Amino acid sequence: MNRAERGPGRDRDDEGRARSARPRDGLGRPLPYGAEGVPRQPEGVVRDPGETLREAQRLLDAGMPFHAHEVFEDAWKSGPASERDLWQGLAQLAVGLTHAARGNTAGGARLLRRGADRLTGGAELAAAAGYGIDAAGLVAWARALAERVGGADGGTTGDAGAGGAGAGLDAAAEAPRLRSADSR
């Protein structure tokens, strides 16, 4: 059912939940109705950790970190509670990269730091190692990118080439490697 058939008000999915039907670009930004957007990630997909990492890496490499975050969100919602911080931390890294690519350097830097902090706990490191995730490398990547785009204090300025006010960085070029080379 399209927007016109729904009538006025919020877009709803088949179950009646509010869900924007507007197309989105590769960074998840809404486009005008009728514009051609990027296909959305299906929600609620249960994948094993290897599939999750492969799909998220594919999306990150394609410059679609917003979509990668949705893959990680499915993992934290469907996985064991003991791994929630791991998947949430990875999702925060993807959303941080999304914000930095959109030009929101302060928000991007904050989320990158928050995601890095989630990946430094003992349980998260053990789970990450079990899946071949390079947690230490991701933490270093996130903190370095946060410093570049938002400064040490997460401020709103950075140099224009690194995602300063209004100028987003290239999400594909900045995409992290989720797994160590020998784990792929």
Side-chain angles (χ1 to χ4, degrees):
M1 165 184 312
N2 67 33
R3 187 173 196 274
E5 293 169 330
R6 285 190 185 97
R10 296 183 74 176
D11 296 328
R12 303 272 174 192
D13 66 12
D14 292 338
E15 285 80 41
R17 293 181 303 240
R19 182 99 49 215
S20 176
R22 287 175 59 182
R24 303 233 173 214
D25 71 5
L27 292 174
R29 293 175 291 214
L31 298 171
Y33 286 102
E36 187 170 331
V38 173
R40 292 189 175 190
Q41 283 300 112
E43 293 183 34
V45 176
V46 177
R47 300 172 181 89
D48 69 41
E51 291 171 315
T52 294
L53 293 166
R54 282 188 297 279
E55 179 64 5
Q57 188 69 65
R58 181 188 72 75
L59 292 164
L60 289 166
D61 291 345
M64 298 170 59
F66 177 81
H67 296 75
H69 126 271
E70 292 178 332
V71 171
F72 291 132
E73 188 173 293
D74 284 340
W76 100 55
K77 289 179 177 179
S78 66
S82 62
E83 295 179 4
R84 176 170 281 177
D85 278 344
L86 169 66
W87 300 114
Q88 285 181 338
L90 292 171
Q92 286 174 320
L93 296 183
V95 173
L97 179 56
T98 299
H99 281 282
R102 289 176 175 176
N104 175 3
T105 57
R110 269 192 304 278
L111 282 161
L112 287 163
R113 288 188 180 99
R114 197 175 301 151
D117 289 347
R118 277 193 189 263
L119 296 179
T120 58
E124 292 72 35
L125 291 175
Y131 300 133
I133 298 171
D134 181 8
L138 288 170
V139 168
W141 166 84
R143 291 193 171 139
L145 184 57
E147 175 70 27
R148 258 186 32 233
V149 302
D153 62 355
T156 59
T157 60
D159 68 80
L169 52 81
D170 181 339
E174 298 291 343
R177 301 303 313 161
L178 299 173
R179 292 173 140 174
S180 57
D182 59 340
S183 299
R184 287 183 218 144

